[in-house]
Amino acid sequence: MDWSDLPIFLEVARAQQLGRAAASLGVDATTVGRRLRRLETAVGQRLFEQGPDGQILTSAGEDLLARATAMAAIASDIRTPPAGRTEVDGTIRVSVAEGFGTWFVSRHLGTLAQAHPKLAVDLVATSGFLNPTRRETDVAVLLARPRRGPLRTRKLTDYTLRLYASAEHLAAHGPVHGIADLRDRRMIGYVPDIVYAPELRYLDEIPGVRDPVLRSSSINAQAHMIASGAGIGVLPCFIGEAYPGLVAILPDIRISRAFWLVTHQDTGRFDAIRAFTDWLVALVGRERAVLAPD
């Protein structure tokens, strides 16, 4: 028996409908049905019958409900901190895009540490992501919404990208008034054949722009090249506006993307993980103007 199926069973028993249970759990009804069938196979008996208004417990289901409820109560006692202790502790791993981790999350983590001094956070900010489905990470901030897996997913925030150049580059090569002015400029971007997500193909959305000739898999390396005067490139505004000496050009060209907040459905309610996700959701709400400036 997969013990992670028991919370699914308990929620269906409470809600008495697959759809309502799925909505409460943050998964689709197909997943709930599949997990119930797996549980029924494991115990060797039908647990629900389909009634006119939803799912009705069988006698075997009633028996399992009593046992599972007792187990849930024990688990709740284990999770409940001793009287007088409210601190969140433990260690969580968070996987985020390199730029978002370097230029946004890491700059604010001190406020989380102040609020939860016993919470340890491993911030994995790389080109590519760890997989919450395979339990490689507790929390992931992804560029696209996952289409499958036992996950809890929500849109974290939209963010905006623009073209940037250094003040020195513009002084040396002249201002940029339109796309035509970019045809003779050196462009900076990702290495085309190792772009780890299609959402990173920013330059494809700007018609008439030359292919980049200075390329890196790292958005931080691209930002450094742009700041050095080596050329022009696309950066998230939360990087471009924070980098000294960078100037946004062609204000009519704006590229929109989104970050998605993802946890595993079996662990997303753990206190440490909820403390981090609640903090991050509140943070992006306060910093909306930095992430998606008008």
Side-chain angles (χ1 to χ4, degrees):
M1 177 188 296
D2 188 330
W3 298 104
S4 67
D5 291 336
L6 287 177
I8 303 284
F9 165 77
L10 285 170
E11 188 59 33
V12 175
R14 183 194 67 78
Q16 298 182 341
Q17 284 190 351
L18 290 183
R20 283 204 296 260
S24 176
L25 293 165
V27 299
D28 57 73
T30 301
T31 298
V32 173
R34 176 176 54 79
R35 299 283 292 275
L36 283 181
R37 290 192 296 273
R38 184 170 71 179
L39 182 60
E40 288 179 331
T41 299
V43 300
Q45 298 183 78
R46 287 184 59 83
L47 301 174
F48 292 96
E49 293 179 350
Q50 181 65 48
D53 298 319
Q55 276 61 46
I56 301 173
L57 285 164
T58 64
S59 58
E62 294 281 3
D63 181 62
L64 180 60
L65 177 63
R67 296 168 183 265
T69 300
M71 292 172 63
I74 293 172
S76 179
D77 288 342
I78 293 173
R79 289 195 303 267
T80 302
R85 202 193 94 196
T86 59
E87 299 96 332
V88 174
D89 59 13
T91 300
I92 64 169
R93 177 167 294 177
V94 182
S95 176
V96 299
E98 179 194 27
F100 187 61
T102 303
W103 291 90
F104 187 80
V105 177
S106 64
R107 293 187 168 198
H108 298 277
L109 268 180
T111 62
L112 177 69
Q114 289 177 342
H116 302 291
K118 293 187 177 181
L119 178 62
V121 178
D122 295 336
L123 182 66
V124 183
T126 59
S127 298
F129 299 96
L130 302 181
N131 191 325
T133 300
R134 295 197 296 264
R135 306 291 182 91
E136 295 173 344
T137 185
D138 299 303
V139 180
V141 179
L142 305 179
L143 298 175
R145 183 173 191 167
R147 296 183 178 180
R148 60 179 64 88
L151 303 172
R152 295 177 181 273
T153 303
R154 62 176 293 180
K155 188 176 182 179
L156 179 61
T157 183
D158 293 313
Y159 67 101
T160 302
L161 305 100
R162 295 185 61 185
L163 283 162
Y164 286 89
S166 70
E168 291 79 4
H169 176 91
L170 296 175
H173 299 279
V176 177
H177 298 295
I179 293 292
D181 294 328
L182 297 178
R183 290 173 185 160
D184 297 325
R185 303 295 177 96
R186 187 182 297 116
M187 301 302 296
I188 294 169
Y190 281 97
V191 182
D193 59 341
I194 57 172
V195 173
Y196 64 88
E199 291 78 15
L200 300 177
R201 299 185 182 278
Y202 311 129
L203 291 176
D204 292 350
E205 299 184 22
I206 307 176
V209 172
R210 298 173 59 193
D211 291 336
V213 294
L214 294 180
R215 305 179 295 199
S216 175
S217 61
S218 164
I219 192 66
N220 289 334
Q222 293 176 44
H224 293 327
M225 286 190 279
I226 298 168
S228 74
I232 295 172
V234 174
L235 294 172
C237 292
F238 61 80
I239 296 179
E241 300 300 322
Y243 207 121
L246 287 186
V247 177
I249 60 175
L250 301 182
D252 291 338
I253 296 179
R254 292 172 177 265
I255 299 170
S256 296
R257 292 290 189 269
F259 287 125
W260 294 85
L261 181 61
V262 182
T263 59
H264 196 282
Q265 68 179 20
D266 294 336
T267 61
R269 291 177 175 169
F270 288 2
D271 288 345
I273 295 174
R274 289 192 63 179
F276 179 86
T277 56
D278 288 349
W279 168 82
L280 184 58
V281 169
L283 173 64
V284 299
R286 293 193 303 270
E287 299 292 327
R288 195 78 64 192
V290 173
L291 295 162
D294 295 331

